[in-house]
Amino acid sequence: MDTFKHQKSRSSGDKNTKSRKNPKHFTDVHGLPCIEKIVTSVEDIPEPISTNIIGMIPNWINGNFLRNGPGKFEMGNHRFNHWFDGMALLHQFKISNGEVTYRSRFLSSDSYQTNKEQNRIVMSEFGTLTMPDPCKNFFQRFVSRFELPKPTDNANVSFVTYKGDFYVSTETNIMHKVDPETLEAIQKVDWSKFIAVNGATAHPHTEPDGTVYNMGNSYSSKGAYYNIIKVPPTKVAEEETLEGTTVLCSIPAEDKTKPSYYHSFAMSENYVVFIEQPIKMDLLKIVTGKLTRKSISDGFSWNPKLNTILHLIHKLTGKVSSIKYLAKPISTFHQINAYEEDGFLIIDLCASDDGQAIANYNIQNLRKSGEALDEVFCTHEDLHGEDLHKYGGLEFPQINYSKYNMHPYHYFYGCGFRHLVGDTLLKMDIRRKEMKVWEHPSLYPSEPIFVPCPYATEEDDGIILSVIITPNKDKSTFLLVLDAKTFKELGRAVVPVNIPYGFHGTFSSTA
């Protein structure tokens, strides 16, 4: 069957396909409230400590709420330049019978250990280039500038699962298997030992049977390629990690020396959807960074003259659609959901019409106050009413993933972004285009995670978990629990330590 006809795309029949999008979600850095403490280093708390419960934590919630993000922003007298560079700090909120304990642990990565031992930044990160070792002689320092940048293993973006095991991940080829009970790193795992990729995203998608799909780049003399990765659902032997992983297909970059940056991708029942956006990575600048004294982030650029390209890959065959789907230039970090319905493929995502998002997260900003193909040009439909604009747009989207990922759905949850980090929690009704809001001045919520109630009968039967950062009040960070249906506060667990603003997390039930 022809790929275009078999796939289900929102189209009027004349190949004017529509994909949904959210409005611009990053704001000007001027006039910000003081959020410096959001990127202030903290100490880890390896042993669990009690929290102060205010209100009520439902007794049916039993499990670990795991979070990941940067927790240390300097080593000795050296400071990291970018929010993405901070040393990974893993968090666990253990919820049981209405009580909550908290612990945290710095990831014992090579980057962290080496930096700590030498009391300076030794390992380069995304926005920070290491300085030459002052103990080396001039010749040694000069030669070191010609070395290729070593990929960081500072996995500070997310918790992910493969074959039932928990990993912390960033966007390089290195992950760390982690014990979700103690937060201790168990094993360093290199994607390139199993498949020919130079990294993978921290946002894989999981099928109901446990099969996981991801994406990763590869580079060769022929140029850059985007690879669709497939990880089997179960282990054959206890000692294996990513054994059996395969590359479903490879897609050549439009510009072989300047592939697009991507943070995540979309997946429906039958298709992987990759969005090739006009945020470009100049490979020459990146590989010569030590010589030119430029960080990896200096090799990123936004080209508004380029269209966005949507690639559709059939999951069963690995075949890429011969139809080229185009959209106006947009930048996107996170896709919300994708599903097939009535002959259409619906893609919902958070998007911006400029590519400045990555540059906005420099620490100084946060501390301020060949073959002829058919072409389809995609337009968008907003998922919201005008009331969203006053919240600055939306990011960190989450849904009732276990039940509604790859299926038609009604609700998603996210953070309103007016101040570079989330300052409100939002529940979006995409059918009625209505919105519920949780908002308190000087409180900064993190990514909202949906946890379904036992025996839930409706999509929003459950609770929302979000860590609330309180930069203007010492040692008062708390875990917020909202009723997902009403978006009213049920309770909070106040932690007697400071916690920096993090990235992503997950809930692992122990019931």
Side-chain angles (χ1 to χ4, degrees):
M1 183 176 293
D2 182 83
T3 305
F4 175 71
K5 292 180 180 178
H6 181 64
Q7 80 191 25
K8 300 180 179 179
S9 304
R10 181 174 289 277
S11 171
S12 61
D14 60 354
K15 297 187 180 179
N16 185 26
T17 306
K18 293 184 179 180
S19 65
R20 295 175 177 174
K21 115 185 222 305
N22 278 330
K24 194 180 302 182
H25 53 274
F26 298 107
T27 57
D28 195 294
V29 298
H30 300 293
L32 294 179
C34 182
I35 57 175
E36 177 179 356
K37 290 184 179 178
I38 280 177
V39 288
T40 298
S41 297
V42 299
E43 298 297 322
D44 59 356
I45 313 291
E47 297 301 321
I49 59 175
S50 299
T51 65
N52 179 31
I53 304 299
I54 300 174
M56 182 270 297
I57 310 296
N59 286 331
W60 59 262
I61 309 171
N62 289 283
N64 293 325
F65 182 37
L66 305 171
R67 294 273 301 158
N68 194 356
K72 190 170 182 60
F73 299 92
E74 64 280 319
M75 304 299 293
N77 295 323
H78 296 183
R79 284 191 171 190
F80 292 108
N81 297 327
H82 201 281
W83 187 26
F84 297 174
D85 298 348
M87 295 289 96
L89 181 62
L90 314 183
H91 310 262
Q92 178 209 70
F93 293 85
K94 180 176 283 293
I95 309 172
S96 178
N97 298 319
E99 299 296 326
V100 180
T101 61
Y102 169 80
R103 76 164 85 201
S104 64
R105 189 184 294 273
F106 280 110
L107 176 66
S108 57
S109 63
D110 292 345
S111 295
Y112 177 75
Q113 297 291 358
T114 305
N115 290 342
K116 186 178 179 181
E117 289 168 5
Q118 299 198 27
N119 199 33
R120 68 184 187 90
I121 298 174
V122 179
M123 306 289 286
S124 295
E125 300 291 339
F126 173 74
T128 306
L129 185 69
T130 182
M131 299 299 291
D133 187 346
C135 296
K136 291 182 177 180
N137 62 37
F138 173 81
F139 179 74
Q140 289 172 320
R141 294 199 300 271
F142 177 75
V143 170
S144 71
R145 293 191 175 191
F146 293 87
E147 297 171 352
L148 289 176
K150 183 180 179 180
T152 180
D153 68 335
N154 178 35
N156 66 0
V157 176
S158 187
F159 273 89
V160 297
T161 56
Y162 296 99
K163 302 183 180 183
D165 292 323
F166 284 85
Y167 295 82
V168 287
S169 176
T170 180
E171 295 180 338
T172 67
N173 58 309
I174 304 295
M175 299 189 299
H176 293 266
K177 186 188 291 187
V178 171
D179 183 336
E181 292 297 328
T182 65
L183 300 182
E184 291 180 302
I186 300 170
Q187 181 183 5
K188 185 170 74 171
V189 178
D190 185 342
W191 280 100
S192 66
K193 303 294 184 184
F194 302 92
I195 51 174
V197 295
N198 296 93
T201 83
H203 291 289
H205 279 290
T206 304
E207 298 273 14
D209 71 351
T211 300
V212 180
Y213 290 85
N214 206 338
M215 288 193 61
N217 283 1
S218 60
Y219 311 112
S220 69
S221 59
K222 296 181 179 179
Y225 289 81
Y226 314 110
N227 301 285
I228 310 300
I229 301 166
K230 184 177 181 179
V231 183
T234 56
K235 301 177 183 178
V236 176
E238 187 61 34
E239 67 273 10
E240 75 167 50
T241 51
L242 298 178
E243 290 289 348
T245 298
T246 57
V247 172
L248 187 64
C249 75
S250 295
I251 304 168
E254 281 286 299
D255 186 330
K256 293 182 179 181
T257 63
K258 294 181 180 179
S260 289
Y261 169 75
Y262 57 93
H263 184 72
S264 61
F265 61 99
M267 188 173 81
S268 69
E269 181 181 3
N270 292 299
Y271 295 91
V272 170
V273 184
F274 164 54
I275 300 172
E276 190 173 10
Q277 59 186 340
I279 297 179
K280 296 296 183 178
M281 301 184 296
D282 189 318
L283 298 183
L284 181 60
K285 284 187 178 180
I286 291 172
V287 299
T288 60
K290 290 192 99 175
L291 179 63
T292 60
R293 309 307 301 159
K294 298 292 185 180
S295 68
I296 294 173
S297 63
D298 291 320
F300 282 55
S301 63
W302 165 253
N303 189 341
K305 296 180 181 180
L306 298 177
N307 285 320
T308 301
I309 304 172
L310 288 82
H311 301 274
L312 272 63
I313 302 95
H314 197 289
K315 285 153 63 176
L316 182 62
T317 65
K319 182 180 179 182
V320 182
S321 173
S322 60
I323 299 166
K324 180 180 281 190
Y325 295 90
L326 304 176
K328 71 174 189 177
I330 61 171
S331 66
T332 177
F333 275 77
H334 301 109
Q335 283 72 61
I336 304 166
N337 200 4
Y339 60 93
E340 301 163 29
E341 183 179 49
D342 300 329
F344 299 106
L345 173 61
I346 313 296
I347 307 166
D348 295 342
L349 52 88
C350 297
S352 169
D353 57 8
D354 67 63
Q356 302 307 312
I358 293 176
N360 282 347
Y361 289 102
N362 288 328
I363 291 291
Q364 58 264 36
N365 286 342
L366 291 172
R367 286 179 166 157
K368 283 181 184 178
S369 295
E371 174 185 0
L373 303 177
D374 290 335
E375 291 188 356
V376 177
F377 198 85
C378 304
T379 58
H380 75 270
E381 169 196 357
D382 287 339
L383 292 176
H384 58 86
E386 289 299 316
D387 51 349
L388 178 61
H389 291 286
K390 65 182 178 182
Y391 296 103
L394 183 145
E395 253 297 347
F396 291 152
Q398 288 287 328
I399 62 172
N400 184 344
Y401 189 92
S402 62
K403 294 291 185 182
Y404 290 89
N405 186 50
M406 304 185 294
H407 298 289
Y409 70 116
H410 204 135
Y411 307 105
F412 74 92
Y413 312 89
C415 290
F417 269 65
R418 288 176 297 195
H419 301 130
L420 289 181
V421 295
D423 55 11
T424 55
L425 289 173
L426 307 175
K427 176 185 179 180
M428 302 296 302
D429 182 331
I430 63 172
R431 297 181 186 176
R432 298 187 181 93
K433 295 190 176 180
E434 296 173 350
M435 182 172 63
K436 288 184 169 67
V437 182
W438 183 91
E439 177 182 18
H440 289 272
S442 300
L443 299 184
Y444 295 86
S446 65
E447 174 188 58
I449 298 296
F450 178 87
V451 181
C453 290
Y455 314 113
T457 59
E458 296 184 0
E459 180 183 340
D460 57 351
D461 281 345
I463 54 97
I464 294 294
L465 298 176
S466 177
V467 178
I468 311 300
I469 309 301
T470 56
N472 300 322
K473 192 175 180 182
D474 191 44
K475 297 180 180 178
S476 58
T477 299
F478 60 92
L479 173 65
L480 175 69
V481 182
L482 296 180
D483 184 314
K485 187 176 290 290
T486 65
F487 230 51
K488 300 296 184 182
E489 182 172 335
L490 297 175
R492 57 179 70 176
V494 182
V495 184
V497 296
N498 293 320
I499 300 176
Y501 198 91
F503 294 139
H504 299 289
T506 188
F507 180 80
S508 172
S509 175
T510 57

